[in-house]
Structures are given as structure tokens and as C-alpha cells.
Amino acid sequence: MPIHTWPQDCRPREKLLKHGVTGLSDAELLALFIRTGTPDVNALDLARQMLSSAGDLRGLLNLEWLAAKKLRGMGLARFCELQGALELGRRCLQQNLQRGDVMRCEEATALIHATLAHQKIEVFIALSLDHQLRLIALDEIARGTLTDISLKPRAVVEQALARRASGVIVAHNHPSGAPEPSQSDIHFTRKLKLALASVDIALHDHVLICDGPPQSFSRLGLMD
């Protein structure tokens, strides 16, 4: 049944206007981008089929074009719109952090997660902060294989100096999903903290993106 024939409270656009965007399901949000279905499937059911095929919303947005185009209803234009929406969200988070204290803002973790969660190889990033703990820039420092990267503290120090940072938050992902920091992660973090301190730059945290909630080395007591 076409969506325009549904009661207004059931239509995604009308629900958004009445209850706000957070009141929509993943499928309803996706249907807003799909807009139109096929002759035999409406946009919402098509969205549900895409999510089912990809596993969930994260799985769908992480698909590369060659895999995404195999989904029913996923053309190049729709794929580009979804990728563009994802990047808009990242940039909005980054701009918010350039105005306020990163250490007091949950958006910092959200930005790190949005940057790293979809990566299929290990990626290491650094958030450079000014003396008021506002974000100066987010930089990719290194990327590697499925399981590891080759990285020296010097690369992080040089980037922080180039950004004239007073402090740094670093982060990396575990594509394997391993939920705990490895011993090499802990050893590297302690070496990095000393290297940054030698040039008067504070290492505030190291965040690990893995299966489950992001892990903060600072909260886990692994920074000393």
C-alpha cells in the first residue's frame, strides 16, 4: 500500500514533524532518503528490506558501492545521498566541538565513533585541542591492516606541534571487534604520553572503538 494512503500518524514525514526526528525508527529515517519505492514495494518496506539485507543501519552505511548496489532499490544516487548524510553528521559534530570544551562533551566520543566505527582496517586518529580544550582539528595519523598499524609516538607529536595543540586525544579502532585494549595499545599510550609531555602537550585520553561501548583508557586507569 502506498505511504500516501496511510493515516498521517504512520507516515515518516508527518511523524517527524509531529514528534521530532528521534521518534522515527531506522527504517523510517531511511525511507526519508529513499522517498519513493517500486511499483510493488513502498519506500518504508524497501528500507526495511535494505536494513535486513545489510544486517542493520550501521551495516548498510558501511557498505561500499560494489556491495551496496546489489541491494534492491539502491542506485548510485541513493548511495551517494546516504554517504553524504553520514559525512554531514560527522562535520556537524566536529564543528560543535570547535566551539566548546571537548572534555566535557559527549559529542567527542560520538565524533570518534562516527569516524572509526565503519573502518574495515585499523585506523589511528588524533584530536588536537587548544588551551581551552576546544577542537582544533581531527587528523588521521596512520592506517594499517585488518589487525594492526605501524605507528611511532613521533608521528603524533609532530602532528600536534604542527597544529599548535596544547592537548591531544587519540583514538583507534579494533576491526576484529576485540573489546579490550591490547598490551601493545597500553604500552604505546604510555610512551606517547611521555613523548607529548616532553614538548608540553597533554595527552588527555586514548579511546578504543570496538564491539560494544567505546573504551576510554583514562577511565580504565591505563594512562599512567
Side-chain angles (χ1 to χ4, degrees), residues 94-149:
Q94 187 164 338
Q95 288 175 11
N96 286 344
L97 294 174
Q98 288 170 335
R99 301 189 182 101
D101 184 341
V102 170
M103 302 301 293
R104 296 179 182 273
C105 187
E106 293 182 358
E107 288 179 318
T109 302
L111 175 60
I112 292 169
H113 192 275
T115 303
L116 294 178
H118 67 288
Q119 298 286 350
K120 295 179 175 59
I121 60 174
E122 192 165 323
V123 177
F124 191 97
I125 62 173
L127 283 69
S128 296
L129 313 178
D130 67 14
H131 68 284
Q132 293 182 311
L133 298 177
R134 294 174 301 193
L135 181 66
I136 298 171
L138 184 156
D139 296 296
E140 180 180 306
I141 306 298
R143 59 174 50 220
T145 65
L146 180 64
T147 56
D148 66 347
I149 55 177

Coordinates of all heavy atoms in Angstrom, one line a residue, residues 94-149:
Q94 N 32.0 17.8 14.5 CA 33.3 18.4 14.5 C 33.2 19.9 14.8 O 33.9 20.5 15.6 CB 34.1 18.1 13.3 CG 35.5 18.6 13.3 CD 36.4 17.9 12.3 OE1 36.1 16.9 11.7 NE2 37.5 18.5 11.9
Q95 N 32.3 20.5 14.1 CA 32.1 22.0 14.3 C 31.6 22.3 15.7 O 32.0 23.4 16.2 CB 31.2 22.5 13.2 CG 31.8 22.5 11.8 CD 30.9 23.0 10.7 OE1 29.8 23.4 10.9 NE2 31.3 22.8 9.5
N96 N 30.7 21.5 16.2 CA 30.2 21.7 17.6 C 31.4 21.7 18.6 O 31.5 22.5 19.5 CB 29.2 20.7 18.0 CG 27.9 20.9 17.3 OD1 27.6 22.0 16.8 ND2 27.0 19.9 17.3
L97 N 32.3 20.8 18.3 CA 33.5 20.6 19.2 C 34.5 21.7 19.1 O 35.4 21.9 19.9 CB 34.1 19.3 19.0 CG 33.3 18.0 19.4 CD1 34.0 16.8 19.0 CD2 33.0 18.0 20.9
Q98 N 34.4 22.5 18.0 CA 35.3 23.6 17.8 C 34.9 24.8 18.6 O 35.5 25.8 18.6 CB 35.5 23.9 16.3 CG 36.3 22.8 15.6 CD 36.2 23.0 14.1 OE1 35.3 23.5 13.5 NE2 37.2 22.4 13.4
R99 N 33.7 24.7 19.2 CA 33.1 25.8 20.0 C 33.1 25.6 21.5 O 32.8 26.6 22.2 CB 31.7 26.1 19.5 CG 31.5 26.4 18.0 CD 30.1 26.8 17.7 NE 30.0 27.1 16.2 CZ 29.4 26.3 15.4 NH1 28.9 25.1 15.8 NH2 29.3 26.6 14.1
G100 N 33.3 24.4 21.9 CA 33.2 24.1 23.3 C 34.2 23.2 23.8 O 35.0 22.6 23.1
D101 N 34.2 23.0 25.2 CA 35.2 22.1 25.9 C 35.0 20.7 25.5 O 34.0 20.0 25.8 CB 35.0 22.3 27.4 CG 36.0 21.5 28.2 OD1 36.6 20.6 27.7 OD2 36.1 21.9 29.4
V102 N 35.9 20.1 24.7 CA 35.8 18.7 24.2 C 35.7 17.7 25.4 O 35.0 16.7 25.3 CB 37.0 18.3 23.4 CG1 37.0 16.9 23.0 CG2 37.0 19.2 22.1
M103 N 36.4 18.0 26.5 CA 36.5 17.0 27.6 C 35.2 17.0 28.4 O 34.9 16.0 29.1 CB 37.6 17.4 28.6 CG 39.0 17.5 27.9 SD 39.5 15.9 27.2 CE 39.6 14.9 28.7
R104 N 34.3 17.9 28.2 CA 33.0 17.9 28.9 C 31.9 17.6 27.9 O 30.7 17.7 28.3 CB 32.8 19.3 29.5 CG 33.7 19.7 30.6 CD 33.4 21.1 31.1 NE 34.4 21.5 32.1 CZ 34.3 21.2 33.4 NH1 33.3 20.5 33.9 NH2 35.2 21.6 34.3
C105 N 32.2 17.2 26.7 CA 31.2 17.0 25.7 C 31.2 15.5 25.2 O 32.2 15.0 24.7 CB 31.5 17.9 24.5 SG 30.2 18.0 23.3
E106 N 30.0 14.9 25.3 CA 29.9 13.5 24.8 C 30.0 13.5 23.3 O 30.2 12.4 22.7 CB 28.5 13.0 25.2 CG 28.4 12.8 26.8 CD 27.1 12.1 27.1 OE1 26.2 11.9 26.2 OE2 26.9 11.9 28.3
E107 N 29.9 14.6 22.6 CA 30.0 14.6 21.2 C 31.4 14.2 20.7 O 31.6 13.8 19.6 CB 29.6 16.0 20.6 CG 28.1 16.3 20.7 CD 27.8 17.7 20.2 OE1 28.5 18.6 20.5 OE2 26.7 17.8 19.5
A108 N 32.4 14.4 21.6 CA 33.7 14.0 21.2 C 33.8 12.5 21.0 O 34.3 12.0 19.9 CB 34.7 14.3 22.3
T109 N 33.2 11.7 21.9 CA 33.1 10.3 21.7 C 32.3 9.9 20.4 O 32.6 9.0 19.7 CB 32.5 9.6 22.9 OG1 33.4 9.9 24.0 CG2 32.5 8.1 22.7
A110 N 31.2 10.7 20.2 CA 30.3 10.4 19.1 C 31.1 10.7 17.8 O 31.0 10.0 16.8 CB 29.1 11.3 19.2
L111 N 31.9 11.8 17.8 CA 32.7 12.1 16.6 C 33.7 11.0 16.3 O 33.9 10.5 15.2 CB 33.4 13.4 16.7 CG 34.3 13.8 15.6 CD1 33.6 13.9 14.2 CD2 35.0 15.2 15.9
I112 N 34.4 10.5 17.3 CA 35.4 9.5 17.2 C 34.7 8.2 16.7 O 35.2 7.5 15.8 CB 36.1 9.2 18.5 CG1 37.0 10.4 18.9 CG2 36.9 7.9 18.5 CD1 37.5 10.4 20.3
H113 N 33.6 7.9 17.3 CA 32.9 6.7 16.8 C 32.4 6.8 15.4 O 32.6 5.8 14.6 CB 31.6 6.5 17.7 CG 31.0 5.1 17.6 ND1 30.1 4.9 16.6 CD2 31.2 3.9 18.2 CE1 29.7 3.6 16.7 NE2 30.3 3.0 17.6
A114 N 31.9 8.0 15.0 CA 31.5 8.2 13.6 C 32.6 8.1 12.6 O 32.4 7.7 11.5 CB 30.7 9.5 13.5
T115 N 33.8 8.5 13.1 CA 35.0 8.4 12.2 C 35.6 7.0 12.1 O 36.0 6.7 11.0 CB 36.1 9.4 12.8 OG1 35.5 10.7 12.9 CG2 37.3 9.4 11.9
L116 N 35.5 6.2 13.1 CA 36.2 5.0 13.1 C 35.4 3.7 13.0 O 35.9 2.7 12.6 CB 37.1 4.9 14.4 CG 38.2 5.9 14.5 CD1 38.9 5.7 15.9 CD2 39.2 5.8 13.4
A117 N 34.1 3.8 13.4 CA 33.3 2.6 13.6 C 33.1 1.8 12.3 O 33.0 0.6 12.2 CB 32.0 2.9 14.2
H118 N 33.1 2.6 11.1 CA 32.9 1.9 9.8 C 34.1 1.4 9.2 O 34.1 0.8 8.1 CB 32.2 2.9 8.9 CG 33.1 4.1 8.5 ND1 33.4 5.1 9.4 CD2 33.7 4.4 7.3 CE1 34.2 5.9 8.8 NE2 34.4 5.5 7.6
Q119 N 35.3 1.7 9.8 CA 36.6 1.3 9.1 C 36.8 -0.2 9.2 O 36.6 -0.8 10.2 CB 37.7 2.0 9.8 CG 37.7 3.5 9.8 CD 38.0 4.1 8.4 OE1 38.5 3.3 7.5 NE2 37.8 5.4 8.2
K120 N 37.3 -0.7 8.1 CA 37.5 -2.2 8.0 C 38.9 -2.5 8.3 O 39.3 -3.7 8.3 CB 37.1 -2.7 6.6 CG 35.6 -2.6 6.3 CD 35.2 -3.0 5.0 CE 33.7 -3.0 4.8 NZ 33.1 -1.7 5.0
I121 N 39.8 -1.5 8.4 CA 41.2 -1.7 8.8 C 41.4 -0.9 10.0 O 40.6 0.0 10.3 CB 42.2 -1.4 7.7 CG1 42.1 0.1 7.3 CG2 42.0 -2.3 6.5 CD1 43.1 0.5 6.3
E122 N 42.5 -1.1 10.7 CA 42.8 -0.3 11.9 C 43.3 1.1 11.5 O 44.2 1.2 10.7 CB 43.9 -1.0 12.8 CG 44.0 -0.4 14.1 CD 44.8 -1.3 15.1 OE1 44.6 -2.5 15.0 OE2 45.6 -0.7 15.9
V123 N 42.7 2.1 12.1 CA 43.0 3.5 11.8 C 43.3 4.2 13.1 O 42.5 4.0 14.1 CB 41.8 4.2 11.1 CG1 42.1 5.6 10.8 CG2 41.6 3.5 9.7
F124 N 44.3 5.1 13.1 CA 44.7 5.8 14.3 C 44.5 7.3 14.0 O 45.0 7.8 13.0 CB 46.1 5.5 14.7 CG 46.5 6.1 16.0 CD1 46.6 5.2 17.1 CD2 46.9 7.4 16.2 CE1 47.0 5.7 18.4 CE2 47.3 7.9 17.4 CZ 47.3 7.0 18.5
I125 N 43.7 8.0 14.9 CA 43.4 9.4 14.7 C 43.9 10.2 15.9 O 44.0 9.7 17.0 CB 42.0 9.7 14.4 CG1 41.1 9.3 15.6 CG2 41.5 9.0 13.1 CD1 39.6 9.7 15.4
A126 N 44.0 11.5 15.7 CA 44.3 12.4 16.8 C 43.5 13.6 16.8 O 43.3 14.2 15.7 CB 45.8 12.8 16.8
L127 N 42.9 14.0 17.9 CA 42.1 15.3 18.0 C 43.0 16.3 18.7 O 43.4 16.1 19.9 CB 40.9 15.1 18.9 CG 39.7 14.4 18.2 CD1 40.0 12.9 17.9 CD2 38.4 14.5 19.0
S128 N 43.4 17.3 18.0 CA 44.3 18.4 18.6 C 43.4 19.4 19.3 O 42.4 19.9 18.7 CB 45.1 19.0 17.5 OG 46.0 18.1 16.9
L129 N 43.7 19.8 20.5 CA 42.9 20.7 21.3 C 43.7 21.9 21.7 O 45.0 21.9 21.8 CB 42.5 20.0 22.6 CG 41.9 18.6 22.5 CD1 41.5 18.1 23.9 CD2 40.7 18.6 21.6
D130 N 43.0 23.1 21.8 CA 43.7 24.3 22.2 C 43.7 24.4 23.7 O 43.3 23.4 24.4 CB 43.1 25.5 21.6 CG 41.7 25.8 22.1 OD1 41.2 25.2 23.1 OD2 41.0 26.6 21.4
H131 N 44.2 25.5 24.3 CA 44.4 25.6 25.7 C 43.0 25.6 26.5 O 42.9 25.4 27.7 CB 45.2 26.8 26.1 CG 44.6 28.1 25.8 ND1 44.5 28.6 24.5 CD2 43.9 29.0 26.6 CE1 43.8 29.8 24.5 NE2 43.5 30.0 25.8
Q132 N 41.9 25.9 25.7 CA 40.6 25.9 26.3 C 39.9 24.6 26.0 O 38.7 24.5 26.2 CB 39.8 27.1 25.7 CG 40.3 28.5 26.2 CD 39.4 29.6 25.7 OE1 39.1 29.7 24.5 NE2 39.1 30.5 26.6
L133 N 40.6 23.6 25.6 CA 40.1 22.3 25.3 C 39.1 22.3 24.2 O 38.2 21.4 24.1 CB 39.5 21.6 26.6 CG 40.5 21.4 27.7 CD1 39.8 20.9 28.9 CD2 41.7 20.5 27.2
R134 N 39.2 23.2 23.2 CA 38.4 23.2 22.1 C 39.1 22.5 20.9 O 40.3 22.5 20.9 CB 38.0 24.6 21.6 CG 37.2 25.4 22.6 CD 37.0 26.8 22.2 NE 38.3 27.5 22.1 CZ 38.4 28.9 22.0 NH1 37.3 29.6 21.9 NH2 39.6 29.4 21.9
L135 N 38.3 21.9 20.1 CA 38.9 21.1 19.0 C 39.5 22.0 17.9 O 38.9 22.9 17.4 CB 37.8 20.2 18.3 CG 38.3 19.4 17.2 CD1 39.3 18.3 17.6 CD2 37.1 18.7 16.4
I136 N 40.8 21.8 17.6 CA 41.5 22.5 16.5 C 41.3 21.7 15.2 O 40.9 22.3 14.2 CB 43.0 22.6 16.8 CG1 43.2 23.5 18.1 CG2 43.7 23.3 15.6 CD1 44.7 23.5 18.5
A137 N 41.5 20.4 15.3 CA 41.4 19.6 14.1 C 41.4 18.1 14.5 O 41.9 17.7 15.5 CB 42.5 19.8 13.1
L138 N 40.8 17.3 13.6 CA 40.9 15.8 13.7 C 41.7 15.4 12.6 O 41.4 15.6 11.4 CB 39.5 15.2 13.7 CG 39.4 13.7 13.9 CD1 38.0 13.3 14.5 CD2 39.6 12.9 12.6
D139 N 42.8 14.6 12.8 CA 43.7 14.2 11.8 C 43.9 12.7 11.8 O 44.0 12.1 12.9 CB 45.1 14.8 11.9 CG 45.0 16.3 11.8 OD1 44.7 16.8 10.6 OD2 45.3 17.1 12.7
E140 N 43.9 12.0 10.7 CA 44.3 10.6 10.6 C 45.8 10.6 10.6 O 46.5 11.2 9.8 CB 43.7 10.0 9.3 CG 44.1 8.5 9.2 CD 43.6 7.9 7.9 OE1 42.3 8.0 7.7 OE2 44.4 7.3 7.2
I141 N 46.3 9.8 11.6 CA 47.8 9.7 11.7 C 48.3 8.5 11.0 O 49.4 8.5 10.4 CB 48.2 9.6 13.2 CG1 47.6 10.8 14.0 CG2 49.7 9.6 13.4 CD1 48.1 12.2 13.5
A142 N 47.6 7.3 11.0 CA 48.1 6.1 10.4 C 46.9 5.2 10.2 O 45.9 5.2 10.8 CB 49.1 5.4 11.3
R143 N 47.1 4.3 9.2 CA 46.2 3.2 9.0 C 47.0 2.0 8.6 O 48.1 2.1 8.0 CB 45.1 3.5 7.9 CG 45.6 3.9 6.5 CD 44.4 4.1 5.6 NE 43.4 4.9 6.1 CZ 42.1 4.7 5.9 NH1 41.7 3.7 5.3 NH2 41.2 5.6 6.4
G144 N 46.4 0.8 8.9 CA 47.2 -0.4 8.6 C 46.4 -1.5 8.1 O 45.5 -1.3 7.2
T145 N 46.6 -2.8 8.5 CA 46.0 -3.9 8.0 C 44.7 -4.2 8.8 O 44.3 -3.3 9.5 CB 46.9 -5.2 8.2 OG1 47.1 -5.4 9.6 CG2 48.2 -4.9 7.5
L146 N 44.1 -5.3 8.6 CA 42.9 -5.7 9.4 C 43.2 -5.7 10.9 O 42.3 -5.4 11.7 CB 42.4 -7.1 8.9 CG 41.1 -7.6 9.6 CD1 40.0 -6.7 9.3 CD2 40.9 -9.0 9.2
T147 N 44.4 -6.0 11.3 CA 44.6 -6.2 12.7 C 45.6 -5.2 13.4 O 45.5 -5.0 14.6 CB 45.3 -7.6 12.9 OG1 46.4 -7.7 12.1 CG2 44.3 -8.7 12.6
D148 N 46.4 -4.5 12.6 CA 47.4 -3.6 13.3 C 47.9 -2.5 12.4 O 47.6 -2.5 11.2 CB 48.5 -4.4 13.8 CG 49.4 -5.0 12.7 OD1 49.0 -5.0 11.6 OD2 50.5 -5.4 13.0
I149 N 48.5 -1.6 13.0 CA 49.2 -0.5 12.3 C 50.6 -0.3 12.8 O 50.9 -0.8 13.9 CB 48.4 0.9 12.5 CG1 48.3 1.2 14.0 CG2 47.1 0.8 11.8 CD1 47.6 2.5 14.3

